[in-house]
């Protein structure tokens, strides 16, 4: 049984609730257990996962968040740098699923966050578990 840590950037409460529901359902359907911690925004996700890895208490991680374009270049920074930080961690062999939505508007985010629609939270959890299985295969 894998211990999965969900790390959520809680910038949009209602969207995160949908992403979390999908991620948790996917983890439980696969027979694993999960815990959730919260950070302020997507830029904090890679650092939070890095800190959690040091604890040695978790086998896999799911990053959850929503980045919706505003008026400035900050959208690109938050989107690209959170993804880059997570990718760097995966390249160190850490099993992570990236469930950070980066959308132009809320409607796009809802369609992707809703477990009954595109269920990106569930998809990120499944990706994390797939990478964990791969690491165990090669380990
Ligand atoms: N605009 C969004 C942010 N911005 C906040 C940053 O992620 C970060 O918390 C801040 O710059 C302090 O370091 N975060 C999101 O997750 N989503 C957004 O739409
Ligand atoms: C994605 C963001 O950082 C965004 O929410 C911030 O909005 P703005 O670019 O209008 O400051």
């Amino acid at each position: 049984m894998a211990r999965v840590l969900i790390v959520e950037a809680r910038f949009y409460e209602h969207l995160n609730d949908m992403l979390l529901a999908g991620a948790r359902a996917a983890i439980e359907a696969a027979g694993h257990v999960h815990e959730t911690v919260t950070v302020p925004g997507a830029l904090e996700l890679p650092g939070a996962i890095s800190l959690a890895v040091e604890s040695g208490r978790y086998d896999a991680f799911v990053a959850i968040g929503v980045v919706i374009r505003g008026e400035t270049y900050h959208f690109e920074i938050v989107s690209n740098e959170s993804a880059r930080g997570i990718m760097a961690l995966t390249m160190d062999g850490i099993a992570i699923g990236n469930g950070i939505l980066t959308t132009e508007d809320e409607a796009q985010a809802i369609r992707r966050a809703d477990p009954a629609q595109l269920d990106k939270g569930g998809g990120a959890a499944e990706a994390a578990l797939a990478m964990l299985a791969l690491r165990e295969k090669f380990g």
Side-chain angles (χ1 to χ4, degrees):
M1 178 182 295
R3 301 158 301 171
V4 182
L5 181 67
I6 302 171
V7 187
E8 63 147 357
R10 200 157 184 88
F11 211 77
Y12 298 97
E13 300 271 347
H14 64 302
L15 296 171
N16 270 51
D17 287 344
M18 289 192 278
L19 287 167
L20 286 173
R24 288 167 175 163
I27 294 165
E28 291 164 9
H32 303 298
V33 294
H34 55 78
E35 182 183 332
T36 302
V37 295
T38 300
V39 295
L43 284 180
E44 282 75 46
L45 286 171
I49 292 171
S50 182
L51 289 171
V53 167
E54 288 176 18
S55 76
R57 294 206 293 266
Y58 308 100
D59 304 301
F61 303 84
V62 184
I64 293 292
V66 180
V67 187
I68 299 177
R69 186 179 296 279
E71 298 173 352
T72 71
Y73 189 73
H74 200 225
F75 172 83
E76 280 75 10
I77 293 295
V78 176
S79 299
N80 295 341
E81 292 307 299
S82 57
R84 186 180 62 80
I86 288 168
M87 186 61 68
L89 291 168
T90 64
M91 297 304 286
D92 281 343
I94 300 165
I96 307 175
N98 185 336
I100 305 171
L101 303 182
T102 55
T103 68
E104 297 300 325
D105 54 41
E106 185 178 9
Q108 288 181 349
I110 292 170
R111 178 161 143 72
R112 287 154 180 79
D114 187 351
Q117 295 188 65
L118 298 183
D119 191 22
K120 293 300 185 181
E126 290 165 355
L129 294 172
M131 291 307 287
L132 176 60
L134 208 56
R135 190 176 70 198
E136 289 170 346
K137 172 184 173 64
F138 295 135

